[in-house]
Structures are given as C-alpha cells and as structure tokens.
Amino acid sequence: MTKMTSLLEFCFCLEVTTCLPEYYKWTQYLFLKLFEAGMVYQKEALVNWDPVDQTVLANEQVDDNGCSWRSGAKVEQKYLKQWFIKTTAYAKAMFDALSDLPEWYGIKEMQANWIGDCVGCSLDFLLKVNGKVTEEKLAAYTYTPEAIYGASHLYILPTHRLLHGNSSLKEVFQKEFIPGKDSLTSVTAVNLLTDQEVPVVISAKTNFENFLDTKIGIPSTSAEDAAVAKNLGISFTEVIETLPNGLEKVINSAEITGMTRQEALKAITHQAKNKRIGGDLTSDKLRDWLISRQRYWGTPIPIIHCQTCGTVPVPYEDLPVVLPNVTTFTGKGASPLETAPEWVNCSCPRPFNSDLADYWMPVDLYIGGKEHAVMHLFYARFFSHFFHDLKMTKHKEPFRKLLVQGLIKNQTFRLTATGQCLKREEVDLTGTEPVHLNTGEKLQVTWEKMSKSKHNGIDPEKLVKEYGIDTLRLYILFAAPPEQDILWDAKTDAMPGVQRWQTRLWMLVTKFIEARTSGTMPNPELLNKKEKAEARKIWEQKNLVISEVTEYFTKDHLFNAAISRLMSLTNILHQASRPLILHSTEFEDALASLCIMVAPMAPHIASEMWKGLAHMQNKLCTHHQWNVDVLHQSWPKVDPEYLQPSDVVEMSVLINNKACGKVFVPQQAARNFEEVHELVLQSELGVKHLQGRTIKKAFLSPRTALINFLVQE
C-alpha cells in the first residue's frame, strides 16, 4: 500500500489470518450478499471422495496414482450436492474490462483466453416427467439466445449428473438411454422465460464444446440441431429470416418478432436476467465456481437448512458462524459434526463501511504467482465487479498493479520405473550422477516447485540457524528478480556474497564510530579542497543510489538490482579517507541513508548498526530521528539541489478538464504515461484530489506537460 508514514510501515504489512472468525465473518457477509442477489446456488457435482476419511478432496490432494495424499485410499468419483457462486454472470463485463486495464497486468491475455468469447448464455428450465413437474431444474447453454423461440429440444451428455448422480430422474434416463444414438426421452423441459416445453435428448456424443454438458437445440441457427430434430421426429419453428439486404431479423418469436438479431439478443438476455433465470452472456469455456470444501476446511457457509423453509440465510447480526470445537471423532470416517448435534440442529457486526473500502481499495500492488492468473485473480475481480454493481464500492477493478513472482525450485529425485519421489537422504549424491542409496538405480532429476509430496522442500529453520534470517532474506532477494524462478543452491556465489556484504556494512559503521570517538571533534571546515571534492562525489553517489533504489523498490520491484546498488555505495564509503570519515557531513548522511535503505531487507543488522550510530556523540546530521529505531525513519529523499531544473518537468494536473495544480516529475519519466500517472497519484496533490475517486480515463500530453484525469463525480 502507498499509505505509509514511516519506514516501519514500509517494511511490515498488517497481518491477516484468514482462519480466524474475525476475518471470515466478512467472507460470510460477502456470501450472504451474493445469496440475496441470487448469485449462489446448490447442485450436484462430481467430486473426489476419500472413502476412509469420508471427505471431499481437492485435485491437488490426489496423487498421481489416484490415491488420497493423507489416508492413501483409492479416491472415488462421487456426486454430492455442492455450493456454487455464479461467476459466469460477470464473464462478459470482466472480459470487456480487460481492455481498460494497464499493460502492467501482463496476464490479460491469459484471463481473456480463460473467460472466452462471451456470445451465448444459459437459460433455466424445469423438468417434467409424464406431465408432472419434478424438483429438478436445469440450466442449458445456447450460442444464439435471440433464437430461443425456435428451440426444439434440450441435449444432455451421457455423462451428465442426471444419469449418474442422486437425481429422481436417474432411473428414467438410464432406462431410455441407447448408447451410440441420440436418445429421445419421455422427460420434457419447460423454458422459464418463454414457457415453451421441449423434449430432453441424451446426445450420442461423449462431449460437447469445452465444459458444456447441457445445450439447447435450435434448428434455425444450427444445421446439426436441425438434423437431430428431423432424425428424432421433433417438430420445430423457423425463427430467423434473412432480408434481401442481408440483414437478419427474428420471426415467430412473440414480443421480439421483427427485431434484428442483435436487438433480440439484448431483449432476451435482459428479460432473463430480470427474472433471475439466466441470460448472463458468457462463453462455453467458463464454469461457475464450486466453493464447497471438505470438513473443517474453509469458511463455514452461513446457511440454515430448514425442513420447512428450505435454505435460509443466517442473519447478519449473528455472524460469524463458527465451527464447533470438536477434538475427538466418534469412529473411523465419522464426521466431527456428528459429535456436535447442538451445532447442526439450530433454530430456523458492524455494517459495511464504503468509505473505508474506498480508502484501501484498489490494492496498490498484488503479488502472486502466475498460477493465480486465471483463478485467484479472476475471483478477486469477480467480487470487485459484483460489489461495484451493488454501489458498495467506487472501484470496479481490485488491483492497480500486479507483480507476478517466480518460484523457488529444488531438485526432485524420482525412481524411473514408478515415478516415486525420494527423500534426499535416500539419494547417493557422491558420484557423477544421483542414484538410489539402497539399490544404486539411476534417478530422474528435475527442478520443480518445492512441495512436501515431492520431498524437495527446505527446512527454513535449519537455514536460519546456519546463516541467520537477514542473510537468508538477502540471498532470496539477490538471487534473481522477483518474477524469475530461483533454482535453490545455497552454496552458490549469492549466499557468500550477501554474507560478505553484511560484514563490510558492519566494518563500515565500526570504522565510522571509532573515528568519531577518537577524541577529535568533527569539523567540516578542516577538509582541504581535494577532500571537499571527494565529499561532493559521495554526496552525488548517495543521491544517485537513493533515486535508483527508490525506483527499484516502488516501481520496478527489482530488489536484486537495489541490493547491487547498495553494495556499490558501501564500496564507495569504504574507500573514503580518514579525514572524510571524521569531518564530512556527506559521509555521515550517506552512511545513515545506507542503513535506512538496507532495513526493509535486513532489519536486524540495520537496527543494530543504527543503534550504534545513534549512541555515538558528535553527529553532524540533524535531519535524522536519531532517538528512534531505523524502522521508524522516513525513507531517504534526493536532495533538491541534486535535481537540476533541467532534470525535472513541471507537470500541470487537470481533473475533469479543470486545472488543480502542478507536480514535479523527473524528465526521463515525463513522456511515459504510466510513470506520470503513478507519480501524480502518489503526490500530495494526488492524495488530496484523487484518493478514493474512480478514475475513468487519463490523458497525458508530453508536449504541453499536462495530464488530465477524468473522474466520476
């Protein structure tokens, strides 16, 4: 975040523990908001089931042999009722909004591909058998919603949950299904938008496009659908007419008759959304978000299942809903909820603060791996769009910037025959090639992300004990830029390099304290012309390093480059003559600035060095807060004298075409829209006039040194 008052806030973020009720009270609050908006629902879904632990497993908890990572049991595929969030409802809005996001997202193409072309939508149907309405409700997809009045049938796949789950129609469908053929069934589906009733067909296909398992057959817009309808003797109506000028209009379609296809598309989707029976434009690639979790994992869902009223949301004032404190099991595979009947058998907070949300949102910097490009980021954007639509927040997008971090990888040793991963102590590394310690078998060696299942993790406590936490942190930051992977090898030059640097820092401070406590009072007037010139060079180097390191920290996030520049400043100060160390304000200020810039990455050694400087008498610099710790110091700033008039540009700032002030920006940044945009937002003027407001567009004119922000009034 950019809302900082001291280096301490720069170094340490507020800690958020998501498993605590104080936190997940608000995720339950979000769930209830979604529930009220018709954005959550339950349906059966195929899940990974551990028959021993009697629990659902995530895909990541199933090993390559199809066994549970915890119990070792063979995992079963089982249909269970699950909760879903209707993320597809925001697919089109989120796809369209990608074009407005700045280039630094870097993964826009991945999200666009994940969402897909949003040309069609799902519509809800009620299922009937022998003319009687069942409890089953089905959402079916169509690429051409504008032609819905021409629907002839509903397709489902042979693998559909209605044939394999716990549906009341399971026996009917299985009895009437003929493998290898399109099977016309006695089950019919009533379109909740048009009230049309069409038969349900079990397709001869084993799969549809992408993730679809249910489609609406519309012969007017699909030759394949027309062929299936004719084969099965299903009647249908033509609903699309092509005019002589090539324009297509809708016919035989009740109130949308006579509209163009585009007009009819808007009308149908609008009607469906208003009735909450589908209509949200999405693609055939995207599925709704299954959020149910295994027992005692994840936020408890704040819903009461009443035999009379059905699903009833927990009142807001009763949040958070916390799990019972169960420590024992009633038997093998027993659910802990069975030991807490008083929690299961229940009877049928502060309000949301928009000002607080608008102050903190959008997040200035989101840091995450590329594996989150289409999952965590997608869901975060979904929530942000949803609450923006409820007018609870001003900002539609949740993040200003994204930093995609690399992985720390280590060697994985696998048996060639079985693919089993070995622990490092089971591997003989003394020869030219790693072999199994017991059998001498050659092993497959790959660099992979550290994980318990691959036995390639590193115990951080051992490394901290051997090297110290500051050294370990500096090594990780110095080994590579944050977006690159690190191949873990603590014996490379990087670890000894940062160890030597810390030693040189300590020696530098020690030498300075010894000089200043030698009995000679420091006096800058005692420096000769050559020494003053040397002091001037130190001053210039200090300012250069401050400007570069600040940019590496706040803009480029190149911490390895920042460490490299701090190392160079350390070397320059080590070369200073004794008179300079004793009498120079420039040396003292450069050393103090060096300590402050080291602190975010190595706070322990920086704090110790600062205390040594603070206790020293006869200091020349008065602008540092010597009486408080280094982590409370303000971040060093470039001296105004160092920024020559030719090096800065006076940028005029307009908001909604009205001048509101000027901001000084470095000349090298003045032609770069993103840099100017960020510098203005972080300036006093930006904080005062733009903080918390929705910026719709911004325009930079480098020629006239002007930037204009168009904001929502």
Side-chain angles (χ1 to χ4, degrees), residues 346-476:
C346 60
S347 55
C348 191
R350 273 188 326 170
F352 186 85
N353 189 326
S354 294
D355 291 337
L356 195 61
D358 290 335
Y359 174 77
W360 286 108
M361 296 295 289
V363 173
D364 296 287
L365 180 64
Y366 175 100
I367 304 173
K370 191 167 282 187
E371 67 271 21
H372 301 312
V374 293
M375 298 298 280
H376 291 179
L377 270 175
F378 174 82
Y379 298 134
R381 293 186 64 224
F382 163 77
F383 278 116
S384 193
H385 276 245
F386 173 70
F387 286 111
H388 179 264
D389 279 0
L390 292 185
K391 303 193 185 307
M392 294 172 68
T393 57
K394 290 182 180 178
H395 300 281
K396 184 176 286 188
E397 292 293 337
F399 310 116
R400 292 190 196 278
K401 279 190 175 183
L402 173 75
L403 175 60
V404 179
Q405 64 187 15
L407 301 172
I408 299 181
K409 296 182 176 182
N410 201 6
Q411 287 180 313
T412 303
F413 302 98
R414 281 189 172 89
L415 293 172
T416 305
T418 63
Q420 178 189 349
C421 296
L422 299 179
K423 297 177 181 178
R424 189 165 282 264
E425 55 266 28
E426 298 175 304
V427 180
D428 183 356
L429 297 168
T430 58
T432 55
E433 290 183 287
V435 295
H436 194 302
L437 192 62
N438 294 335
T439 66
E441 177 186 348
K442 288 185 179 180
L443 304 175
Q444 291 180 337
V445 183
T446 54
W447 289 91
E448 297 182 77
K449 177 183 177 181
M450 291 186 187
S451 72
K452 289 187 291 186
S453 63
K454 295 183 177 69
H455 303 301
N456 66 344
I458 298 293
D459 184 357
E461 289 188 1
K462 291 181 180 177
L463 291 167
V464 170
K465 189 174 182 180
E466 183 176 355
Y467 297 106
I469 188 65
D470 279 357
T471 304
L472 182 58
R473 187 187 288 110
L474 287 171
Y475 166 69
I476 292 173

Side-chain angles (χ1 to χ4, degrees), residues 126-142:
L126 277 180
L127 298 188
K128 296 170 70 174
V129 61
N130 298 323
K132 292 182 180 179
V133 176
T134 69
E135 296 179 354
E136 291 290 348
K137 191 176 175 182
L138 200 58
Y141 187 83
T142 174

Side-chain angles (χ1 to χ4, degrees), residues 49-61:
W49 180 255
D50 185 326
V52 173
D53 280 349
Q54 295 281 294
T55 189
V56 174
L57 300 176
N59 289 336
E60 294 78 10
Q61 295 171 320

Side-chain angles (χ1 to χ4, degrees), residues 522-661:
N523 183 358
E525 297 300 321
L526 297 178
L527 296 175
N528 59 36
K529 187 176 180 179
K530 181 181 178 182
E531 290 162 346
K532 287 181 179 179
E534 186 185 351
R536 176 74 182 186
K537 287 182 180 178
I538 286 177
W539 176 83
E540 289 173 349
Q541 284 298 312
K542 178 207 74 170
N543 281 290
L544 176 61
V545 171
I546 288 173
S547 65
E548 290 180 338
V549 170
T550 302
E551 189 158 302
Y552 289 143
F553 266 52
T554 60
K555 179 194 164 191
D556 302 321
H557 313 298
L558 297 175
F559 305 112
N560 60 323
I563 292 173
S564 180
R565 295 301 289 124
L566 294 174
M567 286 177 171
S568 69
L569 182 58
T570 304
N571 292 338
I572 289 168
L573 294 180
H574 258 293
Q575 294 165 9
S577 61
R578 182 172 175 80
L580 212 66
I581 297 171
L582 181 58
H583 299 297
S584 167
T585 303
E586 290 84 354
F587 183 94
E588 180 181 315
D589 190 30
L591 182 55
S593 299
L594 177 60
C595 285
I596 295 171
M597 289 187 285
V598 167
M601 299 178 287
H604 298 87
I605 190 173
S607 293
E608 290 298 321
M609 292 190 301
W610 188 264
K611 284 180 181 177
L613 296 175
H615 291 151
M616 184 191 70
Q617 301 297 314
N618 307 320
K619 287 187 285 290
L620 297 172
C621 293
T622 58
H623 60 279
H624 296 294
Q625 295 179 280
W626 295 108
N627 59 324
V628 295
D629 189 74
V630 68
L631 296 176
H632 289 277
Q633 303 303 313
S634 297
W635 186 257
K637 293 182 179 179
V638 175
D639 295 314
E641 183 188 346
Y642 182 76
L643 289 172
Q644 299 299 322
S646 59
D647 295 331
V648 295
V649 172
E650 193 176 32
M651 187 69 62
S652 298
V653 180
L654 280 67
I655 297 178
N656 290 341
N657 303 312
K658 294 179 181 178
C660 68

